[in-house]
Amino acid sequence: MKSPLAGTGLVIWTALRTGWRSATAWILGLVLMYLVTGFSIAALYDTPEKLATYAASLGDSMIMLDGRVAGIDTLGGVMMNEFAFIVGFAIPIMAIALTARSTRREEETGRLELLLSARIGRLAPVTAALVVVAGIFVLLGAGIWAATLTIPVDRTGAAYYAASLVATGWVYAAATAVLAQILAHNRTVWATGLALTGLTLVTRGIGDTEENWISWTSPLGWHGLVRPFGDPTVVPLLVAVAAAGALAAVALWLSGRRDVGAGMMPARTGPATASRWRGSGVGVAVHQHLGSLVGWTIGVVALMSMYGALMDVVVEAIVSNPALAGFLLESPALVDALVQMLVVFVGILGAGFVLQTLAGLRGEETSGRLELELSTGRSRWSWLALHTVVVAVGAVVVVAAGSTAFALTTAIALDDPGSVGRIVAAGAWQIPAVLVFAGLSVALFGVVPRMQVLAWALFVAAAVVTFMGPTLRLTEAQMRVSPFGAVGMAPVGPVDSTGVAVLLVLTVVLVAAGLVGFRRRDVPRT
């Protein structure tokens, strides 16, 4: 009888051979962003006086987004604070993407069953996935630490910071491995993983804002509690490593007690015969994307409701800061500036929904399900067009729901009912920016499907330009290169009608290119 771990080394080698490109892209992308951030901050805050000014001007206003960063009056602390937004999303998404790819996606396509039919043990695939992803995060941590060698930050703090990033990634990777054993579909693993990411952002934000025990319920909270550039402590690191180990053990235990191709939670079966609606092209598209839409909508509404509910805490923190109180009293638009930043965040979340959902079209093709659908006489054009429309409508729902939830909770927190309409309208102007990413994903799928993941890289670049533009000292014209900046600065400033028009035209052109390319290429295309 073969060992449950037989062939683990072979599976690890296979995973590295097939997944090294995506792993390299993640590592290089995050390290380069950290380097750019570090160089910009080092040049901008090159004296103790400037660092003290940064710490005084920041106060507690950004804790709900970035967490509470210790040592904010040091160069390392400023870098950690400026990079915190990227860490809060990139580390969990990186863990979900790499782990789901090596577990549930391989199983859903049938490749895992082929491996297990050979001399491969039952637990080898999950073990290999965890080992590979853990190693990738170690390389990321090493890259981040090496990047700090070029910047004058505390060496001990840099080591703690890199280690905390690695440990945080391990927790999310192990949690994703557990989800891959429970849930039967890759898209469900993604949706649930992203929902858990949003939940940990919320608990970190609440705990760090109120400075209470809730921070200890979030892996992102543990990352901040390490306090690498303040008074470093190893306890949160040990908690993260222990949690990752426990979750990995659970994933292995579940893997040995379920059927191959199934999850511990059985997939819900539909009726024996489909209704006319369910059998139509629109019905199929809606059914396929409904779960993702519901999950994203609930997550975005919960997250933005939390941010809106904390607006009074943020404003009070700014008012209590002597350096900003006078400015706030003289410029009520500062509150609108905070609102604008968070409305853009809703747009970024909407774009994330679009890219994650449209990425599932490639899975339909590689799994063979698309060929079955097209064999019924459905045209390629109508198939892709219907899916694009359904996802675009879903993006409008996600953005509108998130903006409305944020508007209502902000109005309650600030006792300003008149702000509801202004905030909802500002959120609506983010929709053209979201739709252009839908067009980009469809164009890549239709023309060069293997490069569809490139849309994520451009999305990350746009988010970095939007949120880190001031830190990187980008000009206003440079920041408008991002779709989220091209629509204007509502409610702080006027809407850029030209930018909106350009984005809408670009979306139409990209979708048309995708439709034409899809009609002309082979299906499936490897």
Side-chain angles (χ1 to χ4, degrees):
M1 182 177 180
K2 62 184 178 183
S3 166
L5 296 176
T8 300
L10 176 61
V11 181
I12 290 175
W13 175 247
T14 302
L16 291 174
R17 284 290 302 272
T18 58
W20 68 270
R21 290 182 180 87
S22 59
T24 302
W26 275 107
I27 294 171
L28 290 180
L30 288 175
V31 171
L32 286 174
M33 280 193 284
Y34 186 78
L35 269 175
V36 171
T37 303
F39 288 146
S40 301
I41 291 174
L44 192 60
Y45 300 98
D46 54 355
T47 66
E49 292 75 19
K50 291 181 180 179
L51 290 171
T53 300
Y54 176 90
S57 63
L58 189 66
D60 292 337
S61 60
M62 293 297 294
I63 288 177
M64 65 177 178
L65 277 178
D66 298 336
R68 186 174 295 278
V69 176
I72 199 66
D73 57 347
T74 67
L75 182 60
V78 174
M79 288 178 58
M80 180 176 176
N81 189 70
E82 291 293 329
F83 206 63
F85 178 81
I86 295 176
V87 168
F89 285 91
I91 295 297
I93 291 176
M94 176 180 174
I96 295 170
L98 296 176
T99 310
R101 181 186 187 279
S102 299
T103 53
R104 177 48 60 184
R105 197 182 78 170
E106 290 294 295
E107 191 166 352
E108 195 170 10
T109 59
R111 287 190 288 265
L112 181 60
E113 194 167 0
L114 291 175
L115 278 177
L116 294 176
S117 66
R119 302 178 64 180
I120 302 296
R122 185 69 176 84
L123 303 183
V126 177
T127 303
L130 290 169
V131 170
V132 169
V133 176
I136 291 171
F137 274 105
V138 170
L139 291 177
L140 173 64
I144 293 291
W145 180 83
T148 64
L149 296 176
T150 63
I151 305 165
V153 299
D154 178 70
R155 307 303 333 139
T156 301
Y160 271 98
Y161 179 69
S164 68
L165 291 179
V166 174
T168 303
W170 286 355
V171 174
Y172 284 104
T176 304
V178 172
L179 293 177
Q181 311 313 309
I182 296 174
L183 305 171
H185 297 293
N186 185 53
R187 63 177 179 266
T188 313
V189 172
W190 262 97
T192 308
L194 290 171
L196 291 176
T197 298
L199 178 62
T200 57
L201 278 168
V202 170
T203 54
R204 192 276 305 273
I206 294 175
D208 284 4
T209 300
E210 303 294 337
E211 294 189 79
N212 59 28
W213 59 270
I214 298 179
S215 297
W216 284 93
T217 64
S218 168
L220 294 173
W222 303 337
H223 170 63
L225 289 167
V226 172
R227 300 171 57 87
F229 299 103
D231 182 19
T233 173
V234 75
V235 174
L237 274 177
L238 296 177
V239 171
V241 172
L247 288 168
V250 171
L252 291 171
W253 184 81
L254 292 175
S255 178
R257 286 162 177 77
R258 65 176 180 85
D259 294 333
V260 177
M264 296 297 293
M265 182 183 296
R268 184 171 59 89
T269 57
T273 58
S275 63
R276 292 186 62 184
W277 160 255
R278 187 68 64 83
S280 66
V282 177
V284 170
V286 170
H287 176 70
Q288 181 175 334
H289 303 304
L290 184 60
S292 179
L293 172 61
V294 171
W296 272 91
T297 302
I298 293 174
V300 171
V301 166
L303 190 63
M304 298 314 300
S305 296
M306 185 274 291
Y307 287 152
L310 293 174
M311 281 295 289
D312 59 333
V313 177
V314 174
V315 172
E316 183 180 351
I318 297 176
V319 172
S320 64
N321 189 322
L324 293 179
F327 177 68
L328 177 63
L329 294 176
E330 295 174 4
S331 177
L334 185 58
V335 175
D336 279 349
L338 293 172
V339 168
Q340 191 269 336
M341 177 185 66
L342 289 166
V343 163
V344 171
F345 184 44
V346 176
I348 288 176
L349 293 173
F353 158 77
V354 163
L355 294 180
Q356 189 266 326
T357 306
L358 287 175
L361 300 183
R362 180 62 174 161
E364 291 296 299
E365 181 175 7
T366 56
S367 66
R369 289 189 291 269
L370 175 56
E371 287 181 277
L372 292 176
E373 284 195 58
L374 296 179
S375 68
T376 63
R378 183 166 298 157
S379 71
R380 297 186 184 192
W381 186 92
S382 65
W383 180 86
L384 183 55
L386 287 173
H387 280 276
T388 302
V389 170
V390 169
V391 173
V393 172
V396 173
V397 171
V398 170
V399 173
S403 300
T404 302
F406 176 58
L408 293 174
T409 51
T410 297
I412 294 172
L414 299 180
D415 193 19
D416 183 15
S419 65
V420 173
R422 188 172 72 255
I423 296 174
V424 172
W429 287 113
Q430 289 296 317
I431 292 175
V434 174
L435 294 181
V436 80
F437 285 101
L440 177 61
S441 185
V442 170
L444 290 171
F445 172 76
V447 180
V448 280
R450 292 188 63 182
M451 299 299 293
Q452 191 180 16
V453 70
L454 181 62
W456 279 104
L458 296 176
F459 164 74
V460 171
V464 170
V465 168
T466 300
F467 278 100
M468 300 186 66
T471 300
L472 302 177
R473 291 186 286 184
L474 300 180
T475 65
E476 183 178 348
Q478 290 170 329
M479 292 186 65
R480 286 182 180 273
V481 172
S482 165
F484 305 109
V487 298
M489 298 288 288
V492 174
V495 173
D496 189 337
S497 56
T498 301
V500 170
V502 169
L503 290 176
L504 292 176
V505 170
L506 183 58
T507 299
V508 172
V509 171
L510 288 170
V511 170
L515 292 173
V516 172
F518 185 56
R519 289 184 66 183
R520 294 182 175 182
R521 70 173 175 83
D522 293 335
V523 175
R525 181 169 176 177
T526 58

